[in-house]
Every structure is written in C-alpha cells, then in structure tokens.
Amino acid sequence: ICHWDASVSPAQCSVKHCATMHADAARCSGDPECTYENMRCVEKECGKLAECECRKDRDCYWNGDKKFCAASSFGQCPTLDIVLLLDGSGSMAQSFGRHPQGFDAMME
C-alpha cells in the first residue's frame, strides 16, 4: 500500500493513492491516475499500455518508431543519453555528514 519516496528528505514510505482510494474495479477505472490490474487498483504506468490504450490516454505518448508507450511529459524526448564525468575522488575522500549533501557539495 506504500512506496518508497526518495524525493523527500528524509526518504519515507508514502501511501499509494490508488490502492487506498479505490476498493473496486468501477471506482478504480474512473480515476485517470489508476488502472485495475491483477484484481487490485494500482497507479497507471504508461509503459505497460498497448498502443491503442496509450493513444487514448492524454497522459501517455506512443512512440511509433520505437513501438513503446511513455509518459507524455518526457515521451517525446530523444533517446540520446548525456553522460557527464567529473573527477571527485579528492573531494569524496573527505568526511561528509550525509552522502546526498556531500554529493551536492561536490557538484557545486
């Protein structure tokens, strides 16, 4: 019923919306953020949708070239990865309070 949310500090187990709000298939299907799958209500994932369902959903984008469905917020982005390498071995040898702050400090 919860998922690990690392977007907040400290990370926590946050309650899933669909699992707690909708006990039956009809209510679950009526919520655009949810889908009924394996006898339970779960958060919708565009990556699991077939082409027809993906094209019907405003929040999803169908990539016809690569034949996959993705969230429309980033589905139209090119598949190019940008890799940035920084030598942080000298900085990371120092003592930091918590790793995320140490990493952020190295990036600044």
Side-chain angles (χ1 to χ4, degrees):
I1 294 182
C2 70
H3 70 282
W4 191 250
D5 186 1
S7 66
V8 294
S9 182
Q12 63 187 11
C13 188
S14 299
V15 176
K16 289 188 173 185
H17 165 76
C18 297
T20 57
M21 298 299 289
H22 309 298
D24 60 29
R27 289 183 60 204
C28 181
S29 299
D31 189 329
E33 296 178 19
C34 306
T35 186
Y36 200 72
E37 173 179 295
N38 296 328
M39 303 295 291
R40 60 190 177 125
C41 190
V42 296
E43 276 71 20
K44 176 185 67 178
E45 294 180 38
C46 293
K48 293 183 176 180
L49 298 178
E51 180 178 2
C52 191
E53 290 84 21
C54 182
R55 290 183 185 272
K56 289 179 187 177
D57 195 316
R58 292 179 27 181
D59 296 329
C60 299
Y61 169 77
W62 178 255
N63 184 321
D65 295 335
K66 304 284 184 184
K67 306 292 186 218
F68 71 90
C69 185
S72 59
S73 57
F74 61 86
Q76 297 180 25
C77 296
T79 55
L80 173 68
D81 290 332
I82 298 174
V83 178
L84 175 66
L85 299 175
L86 300 172
D87 181 15
S89 54
S91 299
M92 293 309 285
Q94 299 174 11
S95 177
F96 294 103
R98 290 182 61 215
H99 176 71
Q101 283 75 17
F103 182 75
D104 291 342
M106 185 189 84
M107 295 302 291
E108 291 177 0

